[in-house]
Amino acid sequence: MSKHILEKTKTYLVGHMQYADGRNWRDDVELELEPLGITVFNPYKKPFVKDVDEDEQARQRMSDDMANGYYNDVAERMSVVRSYDLNLVDRSDFIIAHLLPDVASWGSAEELVTAVRMKKPVFISMQGGKSQTPLWLMGMLPHHYIYDSVDEVLDMIKQIDSGSKDID
């Protein structure tokens, strides 16, 4: 039973980049969802010509600039990154997030708030399991959108795509 209900939809991958590795889970999600016809916006692979790189080298340069007191340069660059990343939230039909509850991720927080305010479906994988969810998030969105792992999120999306799980 493969209806491909989510074919031609777009998702943005929200999660840590500065204080934790965020590349591997995003690459796995891309591999799983692209065969379903879902466009995946991965912040490590900016989709637009004028995008600003947000890879490990760019982050190291910004870290060096911060250490050297080049705050204006970092602020200007991050203002552009923020604008582009929030634009990807705008363009997405749904959001997939992988969060580490004990690691601050200010960009992820703003992206999730933006998506929730826009009433976009948000699927959150919480490292350590749903029981580790920050209390504030429990008040932001229905808890049944919070999962114990990225694999559980992918399983739910595949169920929705096949039609075996209704969209609520």
Side-chain angles (χ1 to χ4, degrees):
M1 179 178 182
S2 70
K3 292 185 177 181
H4 293 299
I5 291 170
L6 298 177
E7 187 174 23
K8 297 187 180 173
T9 61
K10 297 176 281 306
T11 187
Y12 179 59
L13 307 181
V14 170
H16 297 80
M17 293 178 77
Q18 184 175 3
Y19 299 120
D21 175 47
R23 185 180 288 276
N24 292 338
W25 76 268
R26 285 179 172 97
D27 290 343
D28 293 344
V29 169
E30 275 188 286
L31 287 173
E32 292 288 324
L33 295 186
E34 285 178 349
L36 303 179
I38 298 171
T39 298
V40 177
F41 294 138
N42 179 343
Y44 284 102
K45 302 172 184 175
K46 300 293 190 177
F48 305 113
V49 174
K50 290 187 175 185
D51 276 334
V52 176
D53 285 334
E54 209 175 343
D55 59 14
E56 289 83 357
Q57 291 174 340
R59 291 200 162 273
Q60 184 58 53
R61 280 193 306 276
M62 285 190 288
S63 179
D64 293 345
D65 285 350
M66 288 291 288
N68 291 317
Y70 302 141
Y71 303 124
N72 285 338
D73 294 343
V74 175
E76 284 178 28
R77 179 180 177 77
M78 284 310 300
S79 178
V80 173
V81 167
R82 177 179 172 266
S83 173
Y84 285 4
D85 286 1
L86 290 173
N87 178 289
L88 292 175
V89 172
D90 291 345
R91 292 171 182 261
S92 295
D93 297 300
F94 64 97
I95 303 298
I96 298 174
H98 179 61
L99 302 179
L100 285 63
D102 53 353
V103 178
S105 181
W106 303 108
S108 298
E110 185 176 17
E111 291 162 350
L112 289 175
V113 167
T114 300
V116 167
R117 285 189 173 170
M118 295 174 82
K119 301 191 182 322
K120 292 184 185 258
V122 176
F123 298 86
I124 297 177
S125 160
M126 191 62 59
Q127 184 167 307
K130 184 176 186 167
S131 66
Q132 301 303 303
T133 302
L135 298 177
W136 193 268
L137 278 182
M138 293 298 285
M140 261 179 68
L141 67 160
H143 69 84
H144 62 272
Y145 296 139
I146 302 171
Y147 299 85
D148 290 339
S149 68
V150 172
D151 288 338
E152 282 188 13
V153 168
L154 288 170
D155 184 56
M156 180 55 65
I157 290 170
K158 288 175 183 177
Q159 288 181 48
I160 291 169
D161 183 59
S162 73
S164 65
K165 173 74 173 153
D166 290 333
I167 298 174
D168 64 13

